[in-house]
Amino acid sequence: MSNDETSRFVRLHVELVMEVADSDRLTGAALDHINGDPSLPAEERGHARETVQTDPAEALAYLVDPFDLVEDVPGVELTQASWSSEEIDYDADAEWVLGHDAEDDDLPEDAEPTEAEDGGVRVRF
């Protein structure tokens, strides 16, 4: 099949694991972002503030924007994006297997993040 016969659309999967070293700074930055967002209705703003103050994964999700990853890539236009974040158990010594994650088989694309016992945060784009 030639490139002319294939789809012009590409799904890019990116998975990052970040350690939250300073949750107060993370929360503060998320609150600043929420307070400075003129497109966020007042009702949602209050809920967003409450959420980021209790969940570092949500605070991170307010600060990470997949649009920023591709806005300067020549020849592409972002058509659709979704992202989520969740706290995870993370073993730095474990081997990282790239590619399909079997855990994702059971999750719908709009699945809500779940909390784990440690401070690791997974962000999926």
Side-chain angles (χ1 to χ4, degrees):
M1 190 179 283
S2 73
N3 283 345
D4 292 340
E5 296 171 343
T6 61
S7 175
R8 299 179 322 154
F9 297 94
V10 175
R11 181 181 309 266
L12 174 66
H13 293 271
V14 177
E15 185 165 324
L16 308 169
V17 176
M18 294 179 257
E19 179 180 1
V20 177
D22 188 337
S23 61
D24 290 338
R25 286 186 64 202
L26 175 64
T27 300
L31 289 171
D32 289 346
H33 178 77
I34 291 165
N35 291 333
D37 184 352
S39 67
L40 197 60
E43 187 174 294
E44 286 182 41
R45 189 180 311 274
H47 176 70
R49 284 187 196 123
E50 184 179 311
T51 301
V52 302
Q53 288 175 326
T54 59
D55 186 351
E58 286 295 321
L60 185 60
Y62 270 94
L63 296 171
V64 175
D65 187 343
F67 295 97
D68 294 339
L69 293 173
V70 297
E71 71 181 349
D72 293 329
V73 176
V76 300
E77 180 179 325
L78 184 61
T79 305
Q80 181 179 1
S82 67
W83 63 103
S84 66
S85 60
E86 63 185 341
E87 292 188 32
I88 62 167
D89 290 324
Y90 178 69
D91 179 0
D93 296 327
E95 181 178 342
W96 184 311
V97 179
L98 299 177
H100 180 73
D101 189 350
E103 293 175 12
D104 292 341
D105 289 342
D106 300 347
L107 297 175
E109 282 191 30
D110 60 349
E112 289 295 317
T114 57
E115 288 192 30
E117 281 118 39
D118 71 357
V121 175
R122 170 183 279 162
V123 179
R124 291 186 181 140
F125 293 105

